[in-house]
Amino acid sequence: MAQAQGFGRRYIKAFFKGFFVAVPVTVTFLDRVACVARVEGASMQPSLNPGGRQESDVVLLNHWSIRNYDVQRGDIVSLVSPRNPEQKIIKRVIALEGDIIKTIGYKKKYVKVPHGHIWVEGDHHGHSFDSNAFGPVSLGLLHARATHILWPPKRWQKLQPMLPPERKPLQKEQE
Amino acid sequence: MFRNALGKTFRFLGYTVQYGCIAHCAFEYLGGVVVCSGPSMEPTIQNSDIVFSENLSRHFYCIRKGDIVIAKSPNDPKSNICKRVIGLEGDKVCTSNPSDFLKSHSYVPKGHVWLEGDNLRNSTDSRCYGPVPYGLIRGRICFKIWPLNDFGFLRASPNGHRFLDD
């Protein structure tokens, strides 16, 4: 009787020990290193979600590479939406701080991106809620960089930073 | 003996990783101790005061008007600012200086907050860089720990006139 009780207590102890190791490590990994997310919407077509609602892409989001807020023009990034903090949006970085760009449908025709901000746009112009609607976004809202498409298997690829030539900044502050 | 030292090193690294992860979860989802610097929140918070900030309110979206919050600086994501919430989304705020003859007002856009330091004369805040997106808020300061003669919950704003009722 006493031996069976000893075993039960040992299992409970082992369970809690494992729980307190596994949960914080997993949560920290998903918050700081990388996580996976399904892309919804048509704002990044044709790069992401070309199949529409039938086949949403699943992307790998890399938090670690942007821990120093080091983004390049052409990167696909996910950020906290400035209009709705409960939502994350995924867009392409078009301009960095100091660049002067021509906007599409923004209240000002030419914008110089302020210090500590970036200009993001979806690839599907006209169907995208991006900086052309809410202006430059603060780098502090940056969530992760999308590095790979993981699903569906036929779209398995590494996402390369690609800036559409017609969206290049008119004047760059840094090279 | 070499294998013993290797075993000990791995165990040490394992504990470091585990406690580091617990610390990350605690600060991200519960709260932590913060050292404030700068004169922008005087007299409520002085330079080098130590305060406790809780990070649950921002996850549950219950930051209220009048709360003191810590947020990432809009112009420099690597530094933090500590200000009081004067207006939430949809509130009317006064954007002009007290010395201006004509008062100008605007409404805080959706998903943003208007932050001002208690020391209005010596504070760069929303009057300078505009409304701050809610996503930049890191936590709400609820309690002062140091200096001990000022221990306890934080006072209400000395600038009641900045809170405009609709």
Side-chain angles (χ1 to χ4, degrees):
Chain A
M1 222 0 146
Q3 220 178 20
Q5 241 180 5
F7 277 136
R9 202 167 293 169
R10 241 197 290 168
Y11 279 133
I12 293 177
K13 237 179 160 176
F15 172 79
F16 275 112
K17 231 177 159 183
F19 183 83
F20 279 112
V21 171
V23 168
V25 171
T26 312
V27 169
T28 307
F29 184 86
L30 295 175
D31 277 350
R32 290 270 168 146
V33 179
C35 63
V36 171
R38 180 181 289 274
V39 178
E40 282 170 21
S43 64
M44 283 297 288
Q45 282 176 349
S47 320
L48 297 176
N49 269 11
R53 211 160 293 180
Q54 286 82 13
E55 268 193 7
S56 307
D57 287 345
V58 173
V59 291
L60 179 70
L61 294 175
N62 187 343
H63 299 283
W64 188 252
S65 61
I66 52 123
R67 66 192 182 282
N68 289 323
Y69 303 101
D70 213 354
V71 281
Q72 305 302 325
R73 294 178 195 85
D75 277 345
I76 300 182
V77 294
S78 74
L79 46 136
V80 177
S81 168
R83 284 281 170 86
N84 182 5
E86 301 182 32
Q87 199 185 47
K88 304 257 183 334
I89 56 176
I90 185 162
K91 299 283 177 263
R92 196 181 289 276
V93 176
I94 299 294
L96 303 175
E97 66 188 14
D99 293 351
I100 299 181
I101 48 144
K102 188 162 180 216
T103 66
I104 307 172
Y106 186 56
K107 56 187 181 190
K108 290 201 286 192
K109 195 145 183 232
Y110 295 96
V111 164
K112 178 166 184 189
V113 180
H115 191 67
H117 289 67
I118 50 172
W119 187 271
V120 295
E121 279 177 13
D123 288 347
H124 196 177
H125 298 299
H127 289 253
S128 167
F129 179 63
D130 51 25
S131 285
N132 289 312
F134 46 70
V137 287
S138 176
L139 266 174
L141 292 176
L142 203 61
H143 177 245
R145 189 208 311 269
T147 48
H148 294 77
I149 300 182
L150 299 177
W151 188 270
K154 66 174 190 272
R155 284 186 46 79
W156 214 97
Q157 59 184 272
K158 183 166 158 60
L159 290 166
Q160 302 292 349
M162 189 221 47
L163 191 59
E166 71 270 13
R167 300 304 298 143
K168 279 212 169 77
L170 303 168
Q171 187 185 310
K172 294 185 200 183
E173 178 150 297
Q174 1 151 253
E175 269 312 310
Chain B
M1 194 176 85
F2 178 66
R3 220 190 292 174
N4 223 359
L6 203 63
K8 278 209 177 110
T9 316
F10 275 126
R11 224 175 308 152
F12 175 73
L13 283 173
Y15 279 128
T16 313
V17 168
Q18 185 190 341
Y19 288 128
C21 294
I22 292 178
H24 164 86
C25 289
F27 192 77
E28 186 74 25
Y29 297 105
L30 295 175
V33 175
V34 178
V35 181
C36 299
S37 63
S40 62
M41 282 299 291
E42 283 174 5
T44 317
I45 300 178
Q46 318 273 350
N47 193 19
S48 310
D49 277 359
I50 303 181
V51 296
F52 182 79
S53 93
E54 57 96 354
N55 301 337
L56 286 165
S57 303
R58 78 160 170 118
H59 286 291
F60 291 118
Y61 303 100
C62 47
I63 301 271
R64 303 234 147 68
K65 201 154 62 164
D67 282 346
I68 304 179
V69 294
I70 289 197
K72 282 197 213 163
S73 167
N75 295 331
D76 179 17
K78 298 189 186 174
S79 65
N80 295 321
I81 57 173
C82 170
K83 306 279 178 231
R84 199 183 285 271
V85 176
I86 302 294
L88 299 169
E89 66 183 23
D91 287 348
K92 186 162 135 181
V93 287
C94 183
T95 51
S96 60
N97 288 320
S99 54
D100 287 351
F101 180 66
L102 291 168
K103 304 276 173 215
S104 63
H105 298 109
S106 68
Y107 289 91
V108 181
K110 192 165 179 299
H112 290 66
V113 293
W114 188 269
L115 301 178
E116 282 181 11
D118 283 351
N119 189 357
L120 286 173
R121 250 170 257 189
N122 197 356
S123 164
T124 39
D125 46 37
S126 285
R127 294 170 298 161
C128 172
Y129 41 69
V132 175
Y134 188 98
L136 290 178
I137 294 180
R138 307 269 93 219
R140 183 180 72 98
I141 297 186
C142 49
F143 213 81
K144 198 194 282 201
I145 302 176
W146 188 269
L148 290 170
N149 58 359
D150 210 6
F151 186 91
F153 291 105
L154 292 152
R155 283 168 251 148
S157 173
N159 305 313
H161 60 274
R162 299 297 292 175
F163 295 92
L164 300 175
D165 297 313
D166 284 328

